[in-house]
mmCIF file with all atom_site columns, all heavy atoms in Angstrom:
data_model
loop_
_atom_site.group_PDB
_atom_site.id
_atom_site.type_symbol
_atom_site.label_atom_id
_atom_site.label_alt_id
_atom_site.label_comp_id
_atom_site.label_asym_id
_atom_site.label_entity_id
_atom_site.label_seq_id
_atom_site.pdbx_PDB_ins_code
_atom_site.Cartn_x
_atom_site.Cartn_y
_atom_site.Cartn_z
_atom_site.occupancy
_atom_site.B_iso_or_equiv
_atom_site.pdbx_formal_charge
_atom_site.auth_seq_id
_atom_site.auth_comp_id
_atom_site.auth_asym_id
_atom_site.auth_atom_id
_atom_site.pdbx_PDB_model_num
ATOM 1   N N   . ILE A 1 54 ? 24.808 35.354 -12.357 1.00 57.00 ? 877 ILE A N   1
ATOM 2   C CA  . ILE A 1 54 ? 24.416 34.391 -11.306 1.00 57.00 ? 877 ILE A CA  1
ATOM 3   C C   . ILE A 1 54 ? 25.664 33.667 -10.846 1.00 57.00 ? 877 ILE A C   1
ATOM 4   O O   . ILE A 1 54 ? 26.468 33.083 -11.623 1.00 57.00 ? 877 ILE A O   1
ATOM 5   C CB  . ILE A 1 54 ? 23.387 33.388 -11.820 1.00 57.00 ? 877 ILE A CB  1
ATOM 6   C CG1 . ILE A 1 54 ? 22.155 34.159 -12.311 1.00 57.00 ? 877 ILE A CG1 1
ATOM 7   C CG2 . ILE A 1 54 ? 22.992 32.381 -10.773 1.00 57.00 ? 877 ILE A CG2 1
ATOM 8   C CD1 . ILE A 1 54 ? 21.105 33.248 -12.945 1.00 57.00 ? 877 ILE A CD1 1
ATOM 9   N N   . GLU A 1 55 ? 25.904 33.665 -9.523  1.00 60.00 ? 878 GLU A N   1
ATOM 10  C CA  . GLU A 1 55 ? 27.028 32.968 -8.975  1.00 60.00 ? 878 GLU A CA  1
ATOM 11  C C   . GLU A 1 55 ? 26.847 31.482 -9.084  1.00 60.00 ? 878 GLU A C   1
ATOM 12  O O   . GLU A 1 55 ? 25.691 30.922 -9.046  1.00 60.00 ? 878 GLU A O   1
ATOM 13  C CB  . GLU A 1 55 ? 27.232 33.349 -7.496  1.00 60.00 ? 878 GLU A CB  1
ATOM 14  C CG  . GLU A 1 55 ? 27.500 34.839 -7.330  1.00 60.00 ? 878 GLU A CG  1
ATOM 15  C CD  . GLU A 1 55 ? 27.704 35.210 -5.857  1.00 60.00 ? 878 GLU A CD  1
ATOM 16  O OE1 . GLU A 1 55 ? 27.608 34.227 -5.038  1.00 60.00 ? 878 GLU A OE1 1
ATOM 17  O OE2 . GLU A 1 55 ? 27.948 36.380 -5.533  1.00 60.00 ? 878 GLU A OE2 1
ATOM 18  N N   . LYS A 1 56 ? 27.944 30.751 -9.221  1.00 57.00 ? 879 LYS A N   1
ATOM 19  C CA  . LYS A 1 56 ? 27.900 29.328 -9.414  1.00 57.00 ? 879 LYS A CA  1
ATOM 20  C C   . LYS A 1 56 ? 27.273 28.620 -8.211  1.00 57.00 ? 879 LYS A C   1
ATOM 21  O O   . LYS A 1 56 ? 26.601 27.688 -8.278  1.00 57.00 ? 879 LYS A O   1
ATOM 22  C CB  . LYS A 1 56 ? 29.342 28.773 -9.635  1.00 57.00 ? 879 LYS A CB  1
ATOM 23  C CG  . LYS A 1 56 ? 29.357 27.242 -9.960  1.00 57.00 ? 879 LYS A CG  1
ATOM 24  C CD  . LYS A 1 56 ? 30.768 26.809 -10.230 1.00 57.00 ? 879 LYS A CD  1
ATOM 25  C CE  . LYS A 1 56 ? 30.765 25.338 -10.548 1.00 57.00 ? 879 LYS A CE  1
ATOM 26  N NZ  . LYS A 1 56 ? 32.140 24.841 -10.853 1.00 57.00 ? 879 LYS A NZ  1
ATOM 27  N N   . ALA A 1 57 ? 27.570 29.100 -7.003  1.00 56.00 ? 880 ALA A N   1
ATOM 28  C CA  . ALA A 1 57 ? 27.066 28.519 -5.794  1.00 56.00 ? 880 ALA A CA  1
ATOM 29  C C   . ALA A 1 57 ? 25.547 28.620 -5.724  1.00 56.00 ? 880 ALA A C   1
ATOM 30  O O   . ALA A 1 57 ? 24.890 27.669 -5.307  1.00 56.00 ? 880 ALA A O   1
ATOM 31  C CB  . ALA A 1 57 ? 27.709 29.194 -4.561  1.00 56.00 ? 880 ALA A CB  1
ATOM 32  N N   . VAL A 1 58 ? 25.001 29.754 -6.201  1.00 54.00 ? 881 VAL A N   1
ATOM 33  C CA  . VAL A 1 58 ? 23.531 29.926 -6.220  1.00 54.00 ? 881 VAL A CA  1
ATOM 34  C C   . VAL A 1 58 ? 22.913 28.917 -7.173  1.00 54.00 ? 881 VAL A C   1
ATOM 35  O O   . VAL A 1 58 ? 21.891 28.326 -6.950  1.00 54.00 ? 881 VAL A O   1
ATOM 36  C CB  . VAL A 1 58 ? 23.173 31.360 -6.554  1.00 54.00 ? 881 VAL A CB  1
ATOM 37  C CG1 . VAL A 1 58 ? 21.645 31.546 -6.702  1.00 54.00 ? 881 VAL A CG1 1
ATOM 38  C CG2 . VAL A 1 58 ? 23.758 32.325 -5.536  1.00 54.00 ? 881 VAL A CG2 1
ATOM 39  N N   . TYR A 1 59 ? 23.537 28.776 -8.367  1.00 51.00 ? 882 TYR A N   1
ATOM 40  C CA  . TYR A 1 59 ? 23.063 27.887 -9.373  1.00 51.00 ? 882 TYR A CA  1
ATOM 41  C C   . TYR A 1 59 ? 23.058 26.394 -8.883  1.00 51.00 ? 882 TYR A C   1
ATOM 42  O O   . TYR A 1 59 ? 22.194 25.645 -9.149  1.00 51.00 ? 882 TYR A O   1
ATOM 43  C CB  . TYR A 1 59 ? 23.808 27.955 -10.668 1.00 51.00 ? 882 TYR A CB  1
ATOM 44  C CG  . TYR A 1 59 ? 23.429 27.025 -11.761 1.00 51.00 ? 882 TYR A CG  1
ATOM 45  C CD1 . TYR A 1 59 ? 22.277 27.278 -12.523 1.00 51.00 ? 882 TYR A CD1 1
ATOM 46  C CD2 . TYR A 1 59 ? 24.158 25.877 -12.020 1.00 51.00 ? 882 TYR A CD2 1
ATOM 47  C CE1 . TYR A 1 59 ? 21.893 26.390 -13.491 1.00 51.00 ? 882 TYR A CE1 1
ATOM 48  C CE2 . TYR A 1 59 ? 23.766 24.997 -13.036 1.00 51.00 ? 882 TYR A CE2 1
ATOM 49  C CZ  . TYR A 1 59 ? 22.629 25.239 -13.722 1.00 51.00 ? 882 TYR A CZ  1
ATOM 50  O OH  . TYR A 1 59 ? 22.253 24.422 -14.726 1.00 51.00 ? 882 TYR A OH  1
ATOM 51  N N   . GLU A 1 60 ? 24.130 26.064 -8.152  1.00 55.00 ? 883 GLU A N   1
ATOM 52  C CA  . GLU A 1 60 ? 24.262 24.685 -7.683  1.00 55.00 ? 883 GLU A CA  1
ATOM 53  C C   . GLU A 1 60 ? 23.236 24.351 -6.612  1.00 55.00 ? 883 GLU A C   1
ATOM 54  O O   . GLU A 1 60 ? 22.871 23.167 -6.416  1.00 55.00 ? 883 GLU A O   1
ATOM 55  C CB  . GLU A 1 60 ? 25.677 24.505 -7.194  1.00 55.00 ? 883 GLU A CB  1
ATOM 56  C CG  . GLU A 1 60 ? 26.745 24.419 -8.251  1.00 55.00 ? 883 GLU A CG  1
ATOM 57  C CD  . GLU A 1 60 ? 28.099 24.268 -7.664  1.00 55.00 ? 883 GLU A CD  1
ATOM 58  O OE1 . GLU A 1 60 ? 28.264 24.445 -6.434  1.00 55.00 ? 883 GLU A OE1 1
ATOM 59  O OE2 . GLU A 1 60 ? 29.088 24.037 -8.456  1.00 55.00 ? 883 GLU A OE2 1
ATOM 60  N N   . GLN A 1 61 ? 22.741 25.361 -5.892  1.00 56.00 ? 884 GLN A N   1
ATOM 61  C CA  . GLN A 1 61 ? 21.726 25.139 -4.863  1.00 56.00 ? 884 GLN A CA  1
ATOM 62  C C   . GLN A 1 61 ? 20.352 25.038 -5.385  1.00 56.00 ? 884 GLN A C   1
ATOM 63  O O   . GLN A 1 61 ? 19.432 24.703 -4.698  1.00 56.00 ? 884 GLN A O   1
ATOM 64  C CB  . GLN A 1 61 ? 21.836 26.326 -3.799  1.00 56.00 ? 884 GLN A CB  1
ATOM 65  C CG  . GLN A 1 61 ? 23.116 26.322 -3.020  1.00 56.00 ? 884 GLN A CG  1
ATOM 66  C CD  . GLN A 1 61 ? 23.170 27.510 -2.113  1.00 56.00 ? 884 GLN A CD  1
ATOM 67  O OE1 . GLN A 1 61 ? 22.280 28.301 -2.059  1.00 56.00 ? 884 GLN A OE1 1
ATOM 68  N NE2 . GLN A 1 61 ? 24.298 27.587 -1.381  1.00 56.00 ? 884 GLN A NE2 1
ATOM 69  N N   . THR A 1 62 ? 20.149 25.377 -6.718  1.00 54.00 ? 885 THR A N   1
ATOM 70  C CA  . THR A 1 62 ? 18.846 25.314 -7.311  1.00 54.00 ? 885 THR A CA  1
ATOM 71  C C   . THR A 1 62 ? 18.333 23.859 -7.394  1.00 54.00 ? 885 THR A C   1
ATOM 72  O O   . THR A 1 62 ? 19.024 22.999 -7.825  1.00 54.00 ? 885 THR A O   1
ATOM 73  C CB  . THR A 1 62 ? 18.879 25.886 -8.700  1.00 54.00 ? 885 THR A CB  1
ATOM 74  O OG1 . THR A 1 62 ? 19.378 27.250 -8.605  1.00 54.00 ? 885 THR A OG1 1
ATOM 75  C CG2 . THR A 1 62 ? 17.457 25.953 -9.332  1.00 54.00 ? 885 THR A CG2 1
ATOM 76  N N   . GLU A 1 63 ? 17.125 23.632 -6.931  1.00 58.00 ? 886 GLU A N   1
ATOM 77  C CA  . GLU A 1 63 ? 16.532 22.330 -6.903  1.00 58.00 ? 886 GLU A CA  1
ATOM 78  C C   . GLU A 1 63 ? 15.598 22.205 -8.146  1.00 58.00 ? 886 GLU A C   1
ATOM 79  O O   . GLU A 1 63 ? 14.703 22.982 -8.333  1.00 58.00 ? 886 GLU A O   1
ATOM 80  C CB  . GLU A 1 63 ? 15.760 22.089 -5.692  1.00 58.00 ? 886 GLU A CB  1
ATOM 81  C CG  . GLU A 1 63 ? 16.600 22.065 -4.376  1.00 58.00 ? 886 GLU A CG  1
ATOM 82  C CD  . GLU A 1 63 ? 15.737 21.731 -3.163  1.00 58.00 ? 886 GLU A CD  1
ATOM 83  O OE1 . GLU A 1 63 ? 14.566 21.498 -3.321  1.00 58.00 ? 886 GLU A OE1 1
ATOM 84  O OE2 . GLU A 1 63 ? 16.323 21.714 -2.042  1.00 58.00 ? 886 GLU A OE2 1
ATOM 85  N N   . PHE A 1 64 ? 15.886 21.270 -8.977  1.00 59.00 ? 887 PHE A N   1
ATOM 86  C CA  . PHE A 1 64 ? 15.107 20.986 -10.141 1.00 59.00 ? 887 PHE A CA  1
ATOM 87  C C   . PHE A 1 64 ? 13.913 20.125 -9.761  1.00 59.00 ? 887 PHE A C   1
ATOM 88  O O   . PHE A 1 64 ? 13.868 19.550 -8.677  1.00 59.00 ? 887 PHE A O   1
ATOM 89  C CB  . PHE A 1 64 ? 15.865 20.333 -11.286 1.00 59.00 ? 887 PHE A CB  1
ATOM 90  C CG  . PHE A 1 64 ? 16.997 21.208 -11.775 1.00 59.00 ? 887 PHE A CG  1
ATOM 91  C CD1 . PHE A 1 64 ? 18.327 20.945 -11.497 1.00 59.00 ? 887 PHE A CD1 1
ATOM 92  C CD2 . PHE A 1 64 ? 16.693 22.277 -12.603 1.00 59.00 ? 887 PHE A CD2 1
ATOM 93  C CE1 . PHE A 1 64 ? 19.340 21.713 -11.977 1.00 59.00 ? 887 PHE A CE1 1
ATOM 94  C CE2 . PHE A 1 64 ? 17.706 23.071 -13.140 1.00 59.00 ? 887 PHE A CE2 1
ATOM 95  C CZ  . PHE A 1 64 ? 18.990 22.765 -12.778 1.00 59.00 ? 887 PHE A CZ  1
ATOM 96  N N   . ALA A 1 65 ? 12.903 20.022 -10.635 1.00 63.00 ? 888 ALA A N   1
ATOM 97  C CA  . ALA A 1 65 ? 11.695 19.232 -10.375 1.00 63.00 ? 888 ALA A CA  1
ATOM 98  C C   . ALA A 1 65 ? 12.081 17.773 -10.222 1.00 63.00 ? 888 ALA A C   1
ATOM 99  O O   . ALA A 1 65 ? 12.839 17.173 -10.971 1.00 63.00 ? 888 ALA A O   1
ATOM 100 C CB  . ALA A 1 65 ? 10.724 19.420 -11.521 1.00 63.00 ? 888 ALA A CB  1
ATOM 101 N N   . GLY A 1 66 ? 11.515 17.175 -9.167  1.00 72.00 ? 889 GLY A N   1
ATOM 102 C CA  . GLY A 1 66 ? 11.800 15.725 -8.947  1.00 72.00 ? 889 GLY A CA  1
ATOM 103 C C   . GLY A 1 66 ? 10.993 14.833 -9.872  1.00 72.00 ? 889 GLY A C   1
ATOM 104 O O   . GLY A 1 66 ? 10.283 15.347 -10.719 1.00 72.00 ? 889 GLY A O   1
ATOM 105 N N   . PRO A 1 67 ? 11.130 13.492 -9.610  1.00 77.00 ? 890 PRO A N   1
ATOM 106 C CA  . PRO A 1 67 ? 10.411 12.599 -10.572 1.00 77.00 ? 890 PRO A CA  1
ATOM 107 C C   . PRO A 1 67 ? 8.923  12.720 -10.495 1.00 77.00 ? 890 PRO A C   1
ATOM 108 O O   . PRO A 1 67 ? 8.265  12.833 -11.605 1.00 77.00 ? 890 PRO A O   1
ATOM 109 C CB  . PRO A 1 67 ? 10.811 11.215 -9.960  1.00 77.00 ? 890 PRO A CB  1
ATOM 110 C CG  . PRO A 1 67 ? 12.120 11.495 -9.227  1.00 77.00 ? 890 PRO A CG  1
ATOM 111 C CD  . PRO A 1 67 ? 12.016 12.860 -8.664  1.00 77.00 ? 890 PRO A CD  1
ATOM 112 N N   . LEU A 1 68 ? 8.305  12.875 -9.370  1.00 83.00 ? 891 LEU A N   1
ATOM 113 C CA  . LEU A 1 68 ? 6.822  12.981 -9.271  1.00 83.00 ? 891 LEU A CA  1
ATOM 114 C C   . LEU A 1 68 ? 6.333  14.298 -9.879  1.00 83.00 ? 891 LEU A C   1
ATOM 115 O O   . LEU A 1 68 ? 5.430  14.269 -10.715 1.00 83.00 ? 891 LEU A O   1
ATOM 116 C CB  . LEU A 1 68 ? 6.372  12.881 -7.788  1.00 83.00 ? 891 LEU A CB  1
ATOM 117 C CG  . LEU A 1 68 ? 4.842  13.023 -7.608  1.00 83.00 ? 891 LEU A CG  1
ATOM 118 C CD1 . LEU A 1 68 ? 4.098  11.881 -8.328  1.00 83.00 ? 891 LEU A CD1 1
ATOM 119 C CD2 . LEU A 1 68 ? 4.579  12.921 -6.107  1.00 83.00 ? 891 LEU A CD2 1
#
Side-chain angles (χ1 to χ4, degrees):
I877 300 176
E878 298 181 0
K879 184 177 180 181
V881 176
Y882 177 78
E883 291 176 348
Q884 294 176 0
T885 303
E886 295 184 2
F887 296 106
L891 180 60

